[in-house]
Amino acid sequence: MNIERKWSMPSHITFNINPISKLLDEEITEGVWLDPFARDSKRASITNDINEDTSAEYHLDALTFLKMMADDSADGVLYDPPYSLRQVKECYNSIGRDLTSHESRYFFSDLKNEIARVVKSGGKVISFGWNSGGIGKKNGFDIERILLVPHGGPHNDTIVTVDIKR
C-alpha cells in the first residue's frame, strides 16, 4: 500500500485540490466511471448529483442512481459524498427534502453496498472523506493507496483512498 501526504489549501470543489487532481489523473483509467455526487465535475463518464442546479447528467439521490446500474458494469467509481451525516442533512435540506429515518442510519453503508455491486472485479473506487475506511474488505475491496491532504489550521484533512475490487 502506498501512503502519501501532500499539503494543500481547502476547497469545496474536492477534485480541484492540486494533489487530489493529480491523483485522479493517475488513477482514472479508460472505461465506465460513475460519480454519484458529481456536482459540475466531468471526471467520470456518467455523472449524477441530487441538485438540479448542477451540470450532472442525472439528478437523483445517489442510492437511486447506483441502483439503476447493472451488476459489474463500472470500471470505477468516484465516491465523494458529504463527509458526515450533518452534511448529508444540509444537502437534502438545501433542495427541500428531508432525510428518512432509514437514510439517517444506513446512508453510507447502503451506498458502499451498491458501489460494491456495480464495480467490476479489478475495478477501482476512489473515496474521499475524513477517514481511510474506503469501501471495505467486507465488500470485497483492498486499499491500494492512501493520500492524506492536510489543509492546516481549523480545516479537517481530506483522506483519499484508492480501493481495488478483488
Side-chain angles (χ1 to χ4, degrees):
M1 177 183 351
N2 183 9
I3 301 176
E4 307 161 69
R5 181 176 167 186
K6 309 272 175 132
W7 289 91
S8 188
M9 294 300 295
S11 171
H12 70 282
I13 305 172
T14 307
F15 300 167
N16 286 354
I17 298 170
N18 193 40
I20 292 173
S21 180
K22 287 180 181 177
L23 178 138
L24 293 174
D25 290 343
E26 296 168 7
E27 294 290 346
I28 294 176
T29 56
E30 294 293 321
V32 176
W33 279 76
L34 309 176
D35 188 344
F37 299 94
R39 292 191 201 166
D40 296 314
S41 173
K42 299 298 180 207
R43 290 277 192 161
S45 49
I46 304 173
T47 59
N48 176 71
D49 197 283
I50 196 168
N51 187 333
E52 292 185 8
D53 293 334
T54 66
S55 63
E57 182 178 357
Y58 294 94
H59 298 288
L60 307 167
D61 71 77
L63 190 60
T64 301
F65 169 74
L66 290 166
K67 284 183 174 185
M68 71 181 216
M69 302 297 161
D71 293 0
D72 303 314
S73 61
D75 296 288
V77 172
L78 299 177
Y79 180 56
D80 186 21
Y83 294 174
S84 69
L85 198 52
R86 178 190 57 80
Q87 289 180 339
V88 173
K89 282 186 65 135
E90 288 173 4
C91 287
Y92 275 54
N93 289 343
S94 74
I95 61 161
R97 181 167 172 235
D98 290 327
L99 216 54
T100 68
S101 62
H102 178 86
E103 288 168 328
S104 295
R105 283 178 286 182
Y106 302 106
F107 183 82
F108 297 105
S109 61
D110 284 351
L111 288 169
K112 288 179 181 184
N113 290 338
E114 283 301 306
I115 289 169
R117 182 186 63 77
V118 303
V119 172
K120 297 174 183 175
S121 180
K124 292 181 183 179
V125 177
I126 305 174
S127 301
F128 305 82
W130 290 330
N131 66 63
S132 60
I135 300 302
K137 283 192 176 290
K138 76 175 184 79
N139 282 323
F141 286 82
D142 293 313
I143 295 175
E144 177 183 87
R145 181 176 180 184
I146 297 174
L147 172 64
L148 173 63
V149 184
H151 302 296
H155 304 285
N156 291 322
D157 298 344
T158 301
I159 302 171
V160 185
T161 61
V162 179
D163 288 301
I164 305 294
K165 186 173 183 180
R166 294 189 293 273

